[in-house]
Amino acid sequence: MLKLEHSGTGEIFYATKQSAGFDICSNENTTVKSTEWALIKTGLRIVESLGAQKLTVGNELLSVIPEIQIRPRSGLALKHGVTVLNSPSTIDADYRGEIMVTIVNHSKNDFTIHKGDRIAQGVCALVVQLPGITVKEVERGIGGFGSSGKN
Ligand SMILES: O=c1ccn([C@H]2C[C@H](O)[C@@H](COP(=O)(O)OP(=O)(O)OP(=O)(O)O)O2)c(=O)[nH]1
C-alpha cells in the first residue's frame, strides 16, 4: 500500500505484533533548546504508493488513500516535555521528500537528540477524499511545508 525506506542503516519496525505505530528515529545529532522547536531529519521516505482505491458507499464512488500520521511518544512528553509541534502531522501518500519531524521542547532544559534516538511514531491510516472537492495537482513530489500555496 505504502512502501517506506530508510536512506541509511536505520531500521523501521513495529515494537510488537499489535503496535499501531512504528518508531521514527532521528537521522541527525542536534539539540533543541528550551522552549524552542526544530525540524529533525528522519532519513525516511515513501518510495511507493498504490494510489487511490475506489470504494462505493451508498451511491458515491469515493477515493480512499493511505496517509502517515506522525504522533508524539508519550514517554518523551512525560519525562522531558518534548513532543511533536504539529501533531498529528500529515504525510501524504504522494510525498517523496524526506519525512521530517518538528520537535518542540516545552521544558526548562535543552534537549539533546542523538542519531538513532526515537523521537516520534508513525501511524498509517486510510482516509477518504470528500467527493465534490477539486483535485488541483496530480502529484506532490518532494514539496512540503507550505510548498503548495502562499500561506
Ligand atoms: O511534520 C511534517 C509535515 C509535513 N511533512 C511533509 C509531508 C507532507 O506530505 C508535506 C506537506 O505537509 P502539509 O500538508 O502539512 O504542509 P503544508 O504546510 O500544508 O504545505 P503544503 O503547501 O506543502 O501542503 O510535507 C513532513 O515531512 N513532516
Side-chain angles (χ1 to χ4, degrees), residues 16-30:
T16 69
K17 269 196 164 180
Q18 297 194 42
S19 293
F22 55 89
D23 285 328
I24 296 179
C25 300
S26 171
N27 203 33
E28 60 179 319
N29 300 313
T30 191

Side-chain angles (χ1 to χ4, degrees), residues 86 89-92 95 98-100 140 143-149:
N86 55 325
S89 318
T90 306
I91 309 298
D92 301 288
Y95 176 66
E98 180 171 4
I99 295 176
M100 308 287 283
R140 168 173 288 276
F145 304 94
S147 65
S148 68

